[in-house]
Amino acid sequence: MRVLTSNLFALLFLSVFAGVFYVWSALEDRSERHKRGFGAFYPKLPVELSAKTSRTLLTVPLARTPEQHPDDVSGNTSVKTSAPPVEDGVFWSGRLEALLPLGFPEEHARAWRGGARTARVVKLEPGCGRVSNQLATFADGSRACVRYGINADQVQGETLTYYLACLLGITNLPPLVLSPLYSEQWAAVRTRVEGLQWSDRAVVSLTEWVSDLTGVVTPAPLRQESSGLHPELRNKTTAELLDLMQWSDLIIFDYLTANFDRLVSNLFSLQWDPRVMERDTNNLLKTPRGNLVFIDNEAGLVHGFRVLNMWEKYHQAVLSSVCVFRRKTARRVAELHRRRDTRRRLMELYRDSEPLSAKLGFLSDEHAAVLQDRIDIVHTHILHCKDKYGQL
C-alpha cells in the first residue's frame, strides 16, 4: 500500500511538472513571436530610432481608385503576374497603377487637417521618435505626432516637404498641420509643455498617427549588389511590383527634397556596415495593405539643401539606379520643368492650405532655385531612361 501511494504521488508530481513546463514553453514561444512581429525594429540602433516604429493606434482608411475592384487589393497578390508590368518602355502599367490603394487621399487629408487644427490636446507623452517629438492625444481619443524641432528648419522642412508631395500627387505622407503653442488648443497640457522647455511662442507640426505599421527593408533591385530598378522585371509578384512602384516615387521624391535620412544614409553607411540594406530603412514604414508611409521628413528641402555638397554623390547614385516611373509622377515633373514655376506653385499651395504659412516662412530664393534645378535633373533623367528603354 505504501509503495502504491508513493507511485501515485510521483505520477502526480510528474504530471504537474509537465503541465507547468508546457505552459512556460508556450508563453516563451508567444513572447518570441511577439518580439519578432512587433518589437524588433532597429534592434541594434538607439532607442530613439526604434520608437519611430511603434505607431500602432489610429487607423487610416485607404481609398481605392474608381476603376478598382476590392479583390484587386485584398486578394492574393503573391501570385507572379504574366501581364507586362511596364508600358512605353519606362512607365508602370495602368493595370498596376489601378491596383495600388491611395495612401492618404486628398479628401481624407483635408478632413483630418480641418479637425486637427481645432482639436484640443489633452495629453503629451513620448512615442514619436526623437526626444524633441511628442505623441499628442486629442480630446476625442485620436492621436498625432508633434514635432517641436531642434530648430525652425526641421518643422519648416517637414511642412514644405509635405506640400511638395501634394503638388506632385504623391500620397504616401501623413497629413500635416501647423499649430502655435500659445493657442487654446494646448491649454490642457500647458504644464507639460513648460516641463519640456518648449517656447510658448513656437509653432509645431502635427502629423496623423497611423496604426499597425511595420518596418521596410530595401528591395533587392535597389541594393548595392543589384544593377538597379530597370524595365526588365521578371518573376515578380503583383505585391512586389506594387512595392517597387512606390519605391520609384520615393527615390524621385527624396532626390527632389535632398532628404539624406532614408535610403541615402543607408548607402553612405555601406562603407562600414555591409549589411545595412538588409535592415529596416530609416523613416519608412508600411501599412498592412502594402502602402509605404514616408515619415519624419524634416531633413528635406531646407536642411537637406544646406548640406547638399556632403550628400549629393549619394543622391545621384540612388536616382541613377531607377529607370521605371509612375506616369502621373513623371507628368507632374515634366509640367514643373516646362513651366519653371515650382516656387510659385508650391508657395501658393502652401499659403492657401496652411493658415500659419506666413508665420513659419517659405524657401529662400536660393533654395527655391535649387529645387527647380532638381526638378530639371529628374526630368532629364526620365528622358534618358526613355531613350534607353523606349523600344522595349
Side-chain angles (χ1 to χ4, degrees):
M1 186 65 164
R2 183 177 301 169
V3 172
L4 178 62
T5 302
S6 299
N7 289 340
L8 287 174
F9 180 80
L11 180 62
L12 179 61
F13 176 81
L14 289 173
S15 298
V16 172
F17 178 81
V20 170
F21 180 79
Y22 174 81
V23 172
W24 177 82
S25 298
L27 289 175
E28 183 179 46
D29 181 63
R30 180 179 297 180
S31 174
E32 287 302 312
R33 290 200 312 269
H34 175 79
K35 290 177 183 178
R36 289 195 299 271
F38 299 99
F41 304 134
Y42 307 109
K44 297 182 181 179
L45 297 182
V47 174
E48 69 172 25
L49 286 179
S50 65
K52 293 180 182 179
T53 63
S54 59
R55 306 177 174 207
T56 55
L57 291 171
L58 182 63
T59 301
V60 177
L62 297 174
R64 293 189 299 269
T65 52
E67 67 272 22
Q68 198 173 336
H69 188 278
D71 291 340
D72 290 339
V73 174
S74 59
N76 183 9
T77 58
S78 63
V79 177
K80 289 183 172 59
T81 177
S82 59
V86 177
E87 298 172 345
D88 300 331
V90 296
F91 298 115
W92 295 107
S93 71
R95 181 191 67 85
L96 283 174
E97 289 258 13
L99 289 177
L100 183 67
L102 294 176
F104 301 90
E106 176 54 30
E107 297 79 8
H108 166 84
R110 190 183 303 114
W112 187 89
R113 293 197 305 258
R117 287 195 177 98
T118 57
R120 189 165 56 93
V121 179
V122 297
K123 186 178 180 181
L124 283 176
E125 58 187 321
C128 287
R130 295 181 177 87
V131 177
S132 58
N133 303 338
Q134 290 283 291
L135 174 62
T137 302
F138 295 126
D140 65 357
S142 62
R143 297 188 177 189
C145 277
V146 185
R147 174 163 287 101
Y148 175 76
I150 298 173
N151 54 59
D153 284 0
Q154 290 184 318
V155 175
Q156 187 185 56
E158 184 189 41
T159 303
L160 294 177
T161 294
Y162 171 72
Y163 282 104
L164 179 62
C166 294
L167 189 63
L168 293 168
I170 295 174
T171 63
N172 299 80
L173 282 70
L176 176 150
V177 296
L178 298 176
S179 176
L181 287 176
Y182 52 81
S183 70
E184 285 302 309
Q185 183 175 24
W186 303 89
V189 292
R190 189 69 62 199
T191 301
R192 172 66 175 162
V193 168
E194 292 172 355
L196 291 168
Q197 297 184 331
W198 287 0
S199 168
D200 60 3
R201 308 309 300 172
V203 173
V204 298
S205 65
L206 299 170
T207 54
E208 184 172 12
W209 175 280
V210 188
S211 70
D212 300 328
L213 299 180
T214 54
V216 181
V217 176
T218 304
L222 295 172
R223 296 187 191 179
Q224 68 273 22
E225 67 274 11
S226 171
S227 61
L229 179 56
H230 301 298
E232 300 98 333
L233 294 163
R234 298 183 181 90
N235 299 319
K236 298 292 184 185
T237 66
T238 298
E240 289 171 332
L241 292 170
L242 293 176
D243 194 55
L244 290 171
M245 183 190 302
Q246 295 175 85
W247 273 90
S248 68
D249 263 0
L250 173 65
I251 286 173
I252 285 180
F253 187 61
D254 278 357
Y255 180 82
L256 292 176
T257 61
N259 188 341
F260 55 85
D261 200 16
R262 209 152 15 222
L263 188 58
V264 164
S265 63
N266 280 358
L267 189 61
F268 174 76
S269 298
L270 281 173
Q271 55 193 312
W272 60 76
D273 184 0
R275 302 189 65 182
V276 65
M277 294 288 190
E278 300 172 22
R279 291 190 284 275
D280 291 342
T281 305
N282 289 343
N283 302 328
L284 184 65
L285 299 172
K286 182 184 286 190
T287 70
R289 297 182 69 185
N291 291 88
L292 298 185
V293 183
F294 309 169
I295 63 168
D296 296 349
N297 298 287
E298 72 271 18
L301 293 176
V302 185
H303 184 56
F305 287 174
R306 283 184 176 156
V307 296
L308 194 55
N309 290 338
M310 183 187 307
W311 296 99
E312 182 61 5
K313 68 177 181 179
Y314 301 103
H315 288 303
Q316 289 283 354
V318 173
L319 178 63
S320 65
S321 71
V322 173
C323 258
V324 188
F325 314 96
R326 292 185 70 184
R327 196 182 296 271
K328 179 179 179 181
T329 305
R331 284 173 175 167
R332 296 284 179 96
V333 169
E335 183 180 3
L336 292 171
H337 164 75
R338 187 183 77 256
R339 292 188 171 188
R340 305 196 61 77
D341 62 350
T342 307
R343 180 186 187 279
R344 178 184 63 80
R345 295 180 68 180
L346 179 59
M347 184 169 62
E348 288 178 354
L349 177 61
Y350 173 49
R351 182 191 61 201
D352 295 344
S353 305
E354 177 48 66
L356 293 175
S357 57
K359 181 79 174 177
L360 193 64
F362 189 65
L363 294 175
S364 66
D365 290 344
E366 178 187 0
H367 286 170
V370 172
L371 176 57
Q372 184 64 58
D373 286 345
R374 296 179 86 75
I375 289 280
D376 299 341
I377 290 170
V378 168
H379 177 67
T380 300
H381 175 65
I382 294 172
L383 292 181
H384 169 75
C385 290
K386 289 178 70 176
D387 287 343
K388 185 175 182 179
Y389 296 103
Q391 302 304 316
L392 293 180

